[in-house]
Amino acid sequence: MGTRDCKHISAMASPSIGEAGRTGEWRTSRPVIDHSRCIPVRKNKPSCFLCWLYCPEAVIKRDIPIQIDLTYCKGCGICAEECPSGAITMVAENDYVER
Amino acid sequence: METSVLNLPEREYLLPGNRTCAGCGLSIAYRYILKALEGNAIVAVPASCLTVLHGMYPTTSVLIPCVNVAFPSTAASASGLVAGLKALGRTDITVVGFAGDGGTHDIGIQALSGAAERGADFIYICYDNEAYMNTGTQRSSSTPLGAKTATTPVLGKQQHLKDMPRIMEAHSVSYIATACPSYPADLYDKMRKAKTKKGTRYIHISTPCPPGWIFPTKDTVKMGRLAVETGMVTLYEMEDGVFRLTGRSRSVAERGKLKPVGDYIKLQGRFAGISADNLKELQTWVNSRWAGYLKRA
Ligand SMILES: Cc1ncc(C[n+]2csc(CCOP(=O)(O)OP(=O)(O)O)c2C)c(N)n1
Ligand code: SF4
Ligand SMILES: [Mg+2]
């Protein structure tokens, strides 16, 4: 039980990343990005960012280059599907080799 | 300046590692709703996938206060929050009642109707995944004709869905809008507008659901887009009674025509084996509803 400013005891939850654990472990395939095909990288200015826009998990950073937080990415594949330049490929976790 | 992917606020109020399914349409929508509210809001949420998203005590994956309320009482609880905040002089905070289609069309409708008739000062959001998803996909009065659910397993549902925004229109509320997470800027703008209005405001968001509708998680955004392009979902707003098509629905109305409903339903397992009669009837229903929107626009 937490206590709020009003000093009353209350069952108040506190915000936390990873409320459901490391949801990256749910993944069956992972997004692998080829930055050289990514539009903001190619233009070297903020543009496109559709992967950031549509990510249900808010695990993509709207930076150049974009960054994906694989600790929590559930591997839905929306980013790869929506990327207009085919910069993101979903690779089965079992086939993935670190390079 | 037009809202776009480049100027939507960067800050997130929905934290990674939450409990929604991979590819959840509600999750995308909630990101932009919270951005529009700038974290300065209290949500009243009944049992639903949104409760699941908010998480289990003692942690939550959302950065704004949430009151978990009994299933039929979303709008009554929101009314109470408004009264309490007013008594405390906290008029800067937006109160939001936020429920699923089961919690809106079926179970919460009388509290919502009562609050809207009183003009209680809050935004009510219904996110519509077209069934009782959190309990395993039972049909609701928002499930479309022909869709199979756990409780309509053989023929699919044999009734049309209930048009909830039209019921809200009959309450003469100050603002009504429909939205879809495949069009985040449209959704964001509508939330911003709703925030500036007084009285009860109603936002209806169609949120594709991969496990409930049975489609691959990667296709959520595509499914929302197809919903709009086939007329299964129409994007519009009503400000003080004035109707206006928005975004993709407006561009389809101005230059183009709807895609056949079959383009949408053939991608979803819930419509597998739909009868020819049901499919024809669904198309007829979409056409007549669309004609009605065009007449009003
Ligand atoms: C009074 C009451 N009846 C039934 C339930 C069980 N229940 C919890 S969530 C839920 C489904 C909610 O459906 P909907 O409002 O559409 O939200 P979704 O899960 O689809 O997001 C049900 C039936 C409950 N919690 N309280
Ligand atoms: S059941 Fe559907 S609406 Fe609920 S969390 Fe999963 S994807 Fe989202
Ligand atoms: Mg539902």
Side-chain angles (χ1 to χ4, degrees):
Chain A
M1 293 278 167
T3 321
R4 302 205 299 195
D5 297 347
C6 61
K7 306 292 180 232
H8 292 296
I9 292 170
S10 68
M12 188 177 71
S14 324
S16 162
I17 292 178
E19 185 277 324
R22 292 170 191 249
T23 49
E25 290 168 6
W26 299 5
R27 266 199 320 273
T28 54
S29 57
R30 69 164 62 196
V32 176
I33 175 148
D34 175 355
H35 291 295
S36 71
R37 295 175 73 171
C38 171
I39 294 167
V41 170
R42 283 200 335 241
K43 291 190 175 166
N44 194 25
K45 68 163 204 231
S47 45
C48 186
F49 290 135
L50 291 180
C51 52
W52 170 83
L53 186 73
Y54 289 123
C55 176
E57 307 302 327
V59 293
I60 301 184
K61 270 227 154 58
R62 194 173 55 178
D63 288 345
I64 304 177
I66 60 142
Q67 293 166 50
I68 305 179
D69 182 352
L70 289 171
T71 311
Y72 298 110
C73 163
K74 295 171 186 165
C76 67
I78 291 177
C79 54
E81 186 70 16
E82 294 303 319
C83 174
S85 67
I88 304 175
T89 318
M90 298 305 289
V91 178
E93 287 290 341
N94 290 341
D95 300 341
Y96 179 73
V97 273
E98 197 91 38
R99 276 189 294 167
Chain B
M1 190 170 50
E2 201 186 328
T3 306
S4 79
V5 58
L6 297 180
N7 61 25
L8 278 162
E10 179 103 46
R11 178 144 187 224
E12 302 289 346
Y13 301 87
L14 170 60
L15 301 174
N18 63 60
R19 232 162 261 266
T20 53
C21 307
C24 177
L26 165 63
S27 230
I28 305 176
Y30 206 30
R31 276 182 67 205
Y32 293 98
I33 289 165
L34 293 175
K35 283 174 195 278
L37 294 168
E38 295 171 291
N40 198 18
I42 301 177
V43 283
V45 179
S48 58
C49 287
L50 186 57
T51 322
V52 176
L53 182 156
H54 267 262
M56 278 206 290
Y57 180 80
T59 48
T60 170
S61 49
V62 184
L63 292 179
I64 63 165
C66 167
V67 187
N68 291 113
V69 305
F71 216 153
S73 73
T74 311
S77 302
S79 302
L81 285 168
V82 171
L85 288 169
K86 190 173 165 209
L88 294 171
R90 302 289 304 272
T91 46
D92 57 317
I93 302 169
T94 307
V95 174
V96 180
F98 205 143
D101 51 300
T104 302
H105 300 57
D106 301 335
I107 298 175
I109 194 168
Q110 67 86 16
L112 174 57
S113 176
E117 188 266 335
R118 295 190 303 274
D121 191 19
F122 63 87
I123 302 176
Y124 188 100
I125 302 175
C126 169
Y127 71 95
D128 187 2
N129 50 24
E130 302 180 352
Y132 291 74
M133 291 309 181
N134 153 63
T135 41
T137 320
Q138 293 81 16
R139 63 92 90 184
S140 78
S141 56
S142 189
T143 304
L145 178 80
K148 291 200 178 71
T149 66
T151 45
T152 53
V154 182
L155 299 175
K157 190 180 152 185
Q158 288 304 299
Q159 298 82 17
H160 282 299
L161 59 83
K162 186 194 277 183
D163 191 342
M164 197 61 208
R166 270 183 67 197
I167 294 176
M168 294 313 290
E169 196 187 329
H171 291 73
S172 307
V173 296
S174 59
Y175 187 69
I176 295 174
T178 60
C180 167
S182 302
Y183 305 95
D186 179 75
L187 166 59
Y188 177 85
D189 286 345
K190 285 166 175 168
M191 278 304 301
R192 297 292 296 179
K193 195 178 271 185
K195 211 175 149 217
T196 64
K197 306 266 177 197
K198 286 269 155 230
T200 312
R201 292 139 279 170
Y202 181 78
I203 314 261
H204 193 103
I205 309 178
S206 168
T207 55
C209 164
W213 297 9
I214 315 180
F215 64 81
T217 57
K218 69 178 174 54
D219 289 337
T220 301
V221 173
K222 180 161 83 182
M223 219 54 78
R225 222 179 269 134
L226 272 170
V228 172
E229 290 174 348
T230 58
M232 285 295 288
V233 167
T234 305
L235 302 175
Y236 64 84
E237 65 180 1
M238 283 188 70
E239 263 184 278
D240 302 309
V242 181
F243 180 95
R244 193 171 83 85
L245 289 172
T246 69
R248 185 73 185 118
S249 291
R250 193 170 68 192
S251 66
V252 172
E254 282 170 358
R255 29 170 207 283
K257 63 178 185 35
L258 294 178
K259 291 181 175 165
V261 164
D263 288 7
Y264 171 73
I265 70 166
K266 73 176 177 212
L267 302 176
Q268 299 173 35
R270 63 175 171 160
F271 289 109
I274 187 174
S275 71
D277 280 355
N278 276 180
L279 179 54
K280 201 166 146 232
E281 172 55 31
L282 198 56
Q283 186 67 64
T284 307
W285 175 83
V286 165
N287 292 351
S288 99
R289 211 171 57 149
W290 181 244
Y293 291 137
L294 291 183
K295 212 178 280 169
R296 300 180 73 181

